[in-house]
Amino acid sequence: MSKSSSEEIAVWLINLIKDKGELKREEAAEFVESAFSSDFISRTANGNRSLSKQLLHDFRNLRDETIRWNAGKQAWYFTANGSEEAEREQREIPQIPTAVEPKELPKGASNVHPALYLNRELGWVDFNWRVLYQAMDSRNPLLERVRFLGITASNLDEFIQKRVGGLKRQEAAGVDDLSPDGRTPQTQIQLLQAKTKQMQQRMTEVWNQHLLPKLEEEASIKISGYDALNSRQKNRLNEYFLDHIYPTLTPLAVDPGHPFPFISNLSLSLAVKLKKPNRDAFNFARVKIPSNQPRLLQVESESYAYHYVPIEEVIRKNIDKLFPGMKVESICLFRVTRNADLRRNEEEAEDLLSMISEELRERRFAEVVRLEIEEEVDPEVENLLKDELKLDDSDIHHVEGELDLTVCFSLANLNIPGLRYEKWNPPIPKPLYHEGETEQEQTIFDIIRKGDILVHHPYESFSASVQRLIEEAANDPDVLAIKQTLYRTSDDSPIVKSLIKAAEQGKQVAVLVEVKARFDEASNIEWGKMLENAGVHVAYGLVGLKTHAKVALIVRREGDKHVTYCHIGTGNYHTQTAEIYTDLGLLTNDPELGYDVTNLFHYLTGYAPDQTFEKLMVAPHSLRSDFYGLIDREIELAKAGEKGRIIAKMNALDDVGIIQRLYEASQAGVNIDLIVRGHSRLRPQLEGYSENIRIISIIGRFLEHDRIFYFGNDGEPKIFIGSADWRSRNLNERVEAVVPITLPSLQKRIISILKKALNDNRLVWDMHADGSYTQRRPAEGQKEKNFHEMMMKNAWKRAKR
């Protein structure tokens, strides 16, 4: 038998698994070595036996869907109906509802009629439905589905804080202005409360009915309640409770001597109803679930590779230890969400930094806008919480199962091969990959002088391009000055370290730190203080505007000249998000762009309201009128019988002025494709208004974040990238920078990106006139085209040329 081929042994192994029902990897290696030869066995790094690469290759090619791999147990198992189940999962396309409710469009209505616009807030809910769909889609790796559920939950938390909170603030202030789709703040709140509750219920259903069983079956991950444990496991958790949890708990009673405690935003708490013996009145106490403990406590298990119990269940079962002498009548878990939309009048603020710091303090104590609570709750406890938190019934979300599904992130990060996306290692852009190729190593400035470089993250390395630019600038003795905007950055940021190093070496370093970046205000204030302490000139934004532009400027002495080098991009200087956000950046030493970026920083850090720009399009300076002009040019071409063409890629589309121009362009015959990841107020494919407009949304492993604008211009295309979406806030209330891409080779590359996005049939959702979306699927016999995978393959092809 030792002369058997690898394929024959693979067939033998398949039959063995079917016979036994389950076979661990190590057992398989033992059987193969015993029955055949050690030639088909290899050793892992830790010395364990495994199947050889060739045998594994043949085995994977020959096995069918009845044999599944359980990554957690490191075993194969046989399921007789596996093939049928897999086919059924592939055939069954999950259904998601549509939140937007367009109004009926009267015949002959003008382009300003409310029925031509979808509600922005409801459109965002539909975007989050598309994210949740990724958790429901069986084609995605299991742990990535779990991650998408966590993302959906996190998105919803932020939306409730910002958007619902903002509408409630308007309602409280008596604002009755109508949205472009003709709805008052109160009407929008009512719609959103119903729609978000529907989403919350589906999230719970996806978790309880789909992902939890899959985790147990395919990953050997079990999440159970306390009561499902054996006595040994319970004893271990009880010991852990007494040693690690009990000392950190602070039960807070509510009675005439103890006012209702402050409940911090998004924290988990247990509401405990208590009674003293021989007394009718009940007492209430709140116990906060400690946030400095793991949410999921792992227990030893012989049946599962990973067995967890939520920490709140362990506290619940030991709650009597906190209240000796009292009878515990009921316990329920709850969570509050507070309003994060606190806006002050910046014009009246003496100090912008102090104003933001005060706003952060106030946000901690802002009114509660949502209460999530377990389905089985004592009515008296619910009424007490409702009264103390000043809530209506519509603000209360009853949840059947796990509260706060952001817990999914900890599970999604488990390193279980085969259940996550394969790790992506972005290549270094070819122009920047030069070490060892020349006798004298080139600086990044030498390379940029040869021609503009377009970098595309995360497909290409951020650290070897943008980060390298700032690091080399900090170390280069010929660099005189570095100026940069920081909207968001990472913890332990190498960019910030380089800026500090440059300042310490005597370079002129100026940084615009945007302290109004939502939910990053506190960290940005800390970055600003750190930079100031190192001698960096720090500005904290402009009154009335948020600085959203992504620009860096380096001034370098070269001979008797001072030469400028710029990075102008679509994304933040954030090393972590650069691994998952798709963003474009231009590295250039174009003197005109250098002059424009210099003027932009003078505008940001000094007094230059009437600053002028040659090539750069800047908001709120002239970006709106520049875009209007570009759209109008395509309208003129179409009316003259030429081909009008617009392709735009962005995060969201809600600016009424831009939408009206796009309706006019469609009516004139301009062919328009819009790639909009998030919400869109524009209604595509409406007869008489937008027949020539198509909108798609791309949702996948990477977050689509780059902004690209293409205008056909009668065969001489004008192409731009930048930080601005076609949103009112970007055009009116933010400092944005959009740069033209003029080199034909770079234009060709961007056009290729847009074409691949439009041709995708795996990640794309097509938007319809009523605001609903349908996910594209390959037709029978058609090859799958996954935009993200195509871009990854292209990145490596370019790197190897």
Side-chain angles (χ1 to χ4, degrees):
M1 290 189 71
S2 60
K3 294 181 181 180
S4 299
S5 69
S6 178
E7 285 190 354
E8 290 172 333
I9 297 174
V11 172
W12 178 86
L13 188 58
I14 288 168
N15 289 326
L16 182 66
I17 294 169
K18 290 182 176 180
D19 180 57
K20 290 184 168 294
E22 182 179 318
L23 189 65
K24 291 184 179 294
R25 186 197 291 271
E26 285 189 15
E27 292 175 337
E30 289 178 13
F31 280 120
V32 168
E33 186 174 28
S34 174
F36 298 95
S37 164
S38 59
D39 294 342
F40 299 99
I41 303 301
S42 64
R43 293 278 176 178
T44 63
N46 57 11
N48 294 329
R49 281 180 296 188
S50 184
L51 304 178
S52 68
K53 287 185 178 179
Q54 183 59 48
L55 179 53
L56 276 173
H57 177 269
D58 292 335
F59 171 76
R60 287 167 180 158
N61 284 342
L62 292 170
R63 71 174 180 170
D64 57 30
E65 290 293 339
T66 63
I67 294 179
R68 301 284 189 89
W69 170 248
N70 186 309
K73 292 185 177 181
Q74 291 289 289
W76 291 281
Y77 64 97
F78 171 65
T79 171
N81 64 346
S83 181
E84 294 176 10
E85 183 183 336
E87 288 179 11
R88 178 178 56 77
E89 283 187 353
Q90 290 291 332
R91 285 195 307 268
E92 288 182 355
I93 300 176
Q95 299 299 311
I96 56 174
T98 299
V100 294
E101 297 180 2
K103 296 186 175 181
E104 187 176 348
L105 181 64
K107 190 174 181 179
S110 70
N111 286 358
V112 299
H113 194 280
L116 281 173
Y117 302 90
L118 297 172
N119 185 267
R120 180 182 65 181
E121 321 304 345
L122 294 172
W124 182 93
V125 174
D126 282 329
F127 157 69
N128 213 35
W129 274 115
R130 298 195 294 279
V131 177
L132 179 57
Y133 184 95
Q134 308 307 308
M136 301 158 66
D137 193 338
S138 62
R139 297 173 298 172
N140 292 327
L142 178 58
L143 290 184
E144 302 300 342
R145 293 173 65 182
V146 173
R147 188 186 308 280
F148 275 116
L149 184 60
I151 293 171
T152 306
S154 177
N155 285 349
L156 187 59
D157 286 345
E158 184 173 326
F159 178 75
I160 297 289
Q161 292 175 84
K162 288 170 59 176
R163 303 309 311 163
V164 175
L167 288 168
K168 279 184 168 286
R169 188 176 61 85
Q170 290 180 38
E171 182 185 39
V175 174
D176 56 5
D177 294 346
L178 298 180
S179 59
D181 59 303
R183 291 185 167 102
T184 64
Q186 184 177 24
T187 301
Q188 292 178 77
I189 290 169
Q190 291 170 350
L191 285 168
L192 287 171
Q193 286 174 331
K195 302 293 186 181
T196 54
K197 284 181 180 180
Q198 182 184 21
M199 178 172 285
Q200 186 97 46
Q201 290 169 354
R202 181 69 71 87
M203 286 163 54
T204 300
E205 175 191 310
V206 170
W207 178 241
N208 290 339
Q209 299 180 21
H210 299 279
L211 294 182
L212 277 179
K214 286 284 184 185
L215 286 170
E216 187 173 339
E217 176 186 330
E218 297 180 19
S220 193
I221 297 173
K222 175 71 172 178
I223 300 175
S224 70
Y226 181 93
D227 291 336
L229 302 176
N230 60 40
S231 58
R232 183 167 171 269
Q233 291 169 325
K234 289 178 180 177
N235 289 336
R236 286 288 181 89
L237 280 181
N238 291 341
E239 291 173 6
Y240 183 88
F241 172 82
L242 291 172
D243 293 341
H244 298 278
I245 302 174
Y246 181 77
T248 69
L249 298 178
T250 305
L252 297 174
V254 176
D255 57 33
H258 299 86
F260 189 83
F262 170 74
I263 313 292
S264 53
N265 185 40
L266 299 180
S267 62
L268 284 170
S269 300
L270 288 172
V272 188
K273 181 181 178 182
L274 303 156
K275 273 193 177 182
K276 289 182 179 178
N278 304 319
R279 290 196 182 181
D280 293 333
F282 79 88
N283 297 86
F284 173 85
R286 176 256 186 154
V287 179
K288 181 178 180 179
I289 306 300
S291 57
N292 57 357
Q293 292 271 359
R295 174 75 189 283
L296 297 175
L297 302 178
Q298 189 166 4
V299 296
E300 293 182 6
S301 174
E302 296 179 358
S303 304
Y304 302 98
Y306 306 90
H307 192 165
Y308 298 102
V309 177
I311 187 173
E312 60 266 22
E313 294 307 306
V314 178
I315 297 173
R316 190 196 301 261
K317 291 298 179 181
N318 286 275
I319 202 75
D320 58 303
K321 296 180 176 64
L322 296 172
F323 305 101
M326 299 289 287
K327 179 185 178 184
V328 178
E329 293 231 318
S330 73
I331 312 169
C332 78
L333 191 69
F334 71 96
R335 181 175 184 249
V336 302
T337 307
R338 293 186 177 273
N339 189 349
D341 190 71
L342 299 176
R343 298 181 189 174
R344 291 167 167 264
N345 188 340
E346 293 181 22
E347 299 291 345
E348 297 177 0
E350 294 183 6
D351 184 333
L352 188 60
L353 194 61
S354 298
M355 186 204 80
I356 295 297
S357 299
E358 180 63 26
E359 184 176 303
L360 286 173
R361 284 190 288 272
E362 288 190 17
R363 190 184 292 171
R364 287 191 63 241
F365 301 98
E367 69 273 18
V368 174
V369 293
R370 177 182 64 171
L371 169 66
E372 297 169 90
I373 195 164
E374 288 179 315
E375 189 75 45
E376 298 296 325
V377 54
D378 188 302
E380 289 184 304
V381 171
E382 181 172 341
N383 286 332
L384 184 146
L385 290 172
K386 176 182 165 184
D387 292 341
E388 293 289 350
L389 297 173
K390 299 178 175 58
L391 298 173
D392 297 323
D393 288 337
S394 58
D395 300 317
I396 300 173
H397 291 219
H398 292 94
V399 180
E400 184 181 350
E402 204 76 50
L403 257 70
D404 186 12
L405 285 170
T406 60
V407 69
C408 290
F409 288 121
S410 61
L411 296 172
N413 290 330
L414 290 172
N415 187 21
I416 304 178
L419 297 184
R420 294 170 59 178
Y421 293 128
E422 289 187 21
K423 182 174 174 56
W424 170 243
N425 296 307
I428 298 171
K430 185 64 179 287
L432 299 174
Y433 189 77
H434 64 277
E435 284 77 7
E437 295 181 3
T438 59
E439 292 182 5
Q440 184 175 3
E441 183 176 314
Q442 303 175 80
T443 69
I444 195 168
F445 306 107
D446 297 327
I447 300 167
I448 294 173
R449 277 198 305 275
K450 294 177 182 178
D452 291 355
I453 299 170
L454 188 72
V455 290
H456 198 184
H457 316 300
Y459 307 113
E460 294 175 320
S461 172
F462 178 85
S463 61
S465 55
V466 179
Q467 183 178 322
R468 175 185 168 187
L469 174 67
I470 305 301
E471 288 174 344
E472 282 199 28
N475 292 313
D476 190 330
D478 289 322
V479 168
L480 305 175
I482 304 173
K483 300 184 180 184
Q484 190 169 3
T485 59
L486 285 181
Y487 187 74
R488 300 187 199 278
T489 190
S490 53
D491 294 336
D492 198 29
S493 168
I495 298 287
V496 172
K497 288 180 180 178
S498 293
L499 294 171
I500 290 173
K501 185 176 183 180
E504 290 172 344
Q505 292 182 0
K507 294 176 170 56
Q508 291 294 309
V509 183
V511 177
L512 191 292
V513 176
E514 183 46 73
V515 291
K516 290 174 285 183
R518 184 74 69 181
F519 300 118
D520 275 326
E521 298 97 335
S523 62
N524 281 7
I525 289 172
E526 289 302 312
W527 286 125
K529 290 178 180 176
M530 188 185 303
L531 289 164
E532 282 183 320
N533 291 338
V536 175
H537 302 295
V538 178
Y540 290 99
L542 300 176
V543 172
L545 297 172
K546 185 180 288 189
T547 303
H548 193 245
K550 324 296 186 184
V551 291
L553 172 72
I554 294 160
V555 183
R556 190 171 187 263
R557 180 177 51 234
E558 296 179 1
D560 59 353
K561 295 181 179 179
H562 288 178
V563 180
T564 56
Y565 295 85
C566 303
H567 170 262
I568 306 163
T570 69
N572 303 304
Y573 295 101
H574 195 302
T575 55
Q576 293 167 9
T577 58
E579 296 179 356
I580 54 175
Y581 286 26
T582 67
D583 277 303
L584 287 161
L586 181 71
L587 303 177
T588 181
N589 79 326
D590 180 323
E592 287 185 306
L593 282 173
Y595 181 76
D596 281 352
V597 175
T598 300
N599 285 347
L600 178 62
F601 277 104
H602 290 168
Y603 170 64
L604 292 172
T605 61
Y607 293 104
D610 295 327
Q611 196 61 269
T612 59
F613 305 95
E614 296 297 321
K615 286 187 174 180
L616 209 62
M617 301 198 305
V618 175
H621 181 266
S622 63
L623 187 56
R624 176 183 292 280
S625 60
D626 288 337
F627 277 134
Y628 281 176
L630 290 162
I631 296 170
D632 289 346
R633 167 66 175 156
E634 299 305 312
I635 293 173
E636 291 172 8
L637 288 169
K639 286 182 175 179
E642 305 295 335
K643 290 183 178 179
R645 185 73 170 115
I646 297 173
I647 309 174
K649 185 175 186 295
M650 66 199 76
N651 293 328
L653 169 61
D654 64 31
D655 184 77
V656 172
I658 291 285
I659 292 172
Q660 288 174 357
R661 277 298 208 289
L662 292 173
Y663 281 147
E664 290 175 24
S666 174
Q667 289 164 334
V670 179
N671 191 12
I672 303 171
D673 278 293
L674 303 175
I675 306 165
V676 184
R677 184 193 82 224
H679 67 264
S680 168
R681 271 186 173 145
L682 186 150
R683 297 179 62 183
Q685 303 289 290
L686 269 177
E687 185 179 353
Y689 297 91
S690 56
E691 295 103 323
N692 294 311
I693 302 178
R694 293 160 299 280
I695 298 181
I696 63 170
S697 170
I698 296 176
I699 310 288
R701 71 175 290 179
F702 300 129
L703 185 142
E704 294 295 314
H705 194 252
D706 41 18
R707 290 91 165 180
I708 305 172
F709 306 96
Y710 171 97
F711 301 90
N713 193 37
D714 199 20
E716 297 181 2
K718 293 192 174 186
I719 300 175
F720 305 84
I721 64 170
S723 59
D725 296 313
W726 278 346
R727 303 189 64 185
S728 298
R729 70 180 192 182
N730 296 95
L731 301 176
N732 300 337
E733 302 167 8
R734 293 185 171 191
V735 178
E736 305 281 6
V738 174
V739 63
I741 303 298
T742 56
L743 282 183
S745 59
L746 301 188
Q747 286 193 338
K748 183 179 179 181
R749 185 174 161 196
I750 288 182
I751 291 170
S752 174
I753 292 171
L754 294 173
K755 284 183 177 178
K756 285 180 171 59
L758 293 172
N759 289 330
D760 176 281
N761 61 11
R762 172 62 179 84
L763 309 177
V764 157
W765 293 75
D766 289 296
M767 185 180 181
H768 308 295
D770 63 355
S772 64
Y773 287 80
T774 304
Q775 191 187 50
R776 283 187 200 167
R777 296 234 172 179
E780 189 172 346
Q782 186 182 29
K783 183 179 179 181
E784 183 177 278
K785 297 175 183 177
N786 182 315
F787 177 53
H788 291 166
E789 291 183 2
M790 288 189 286
M791 295 306 300
M792 289 189 283
K793 289 177 183 176
N794 278 8
W796 273 108
K797 283 181 183 178
R798 280 195 310 275
K800 293 176 180 177
R801 283 176 187 165

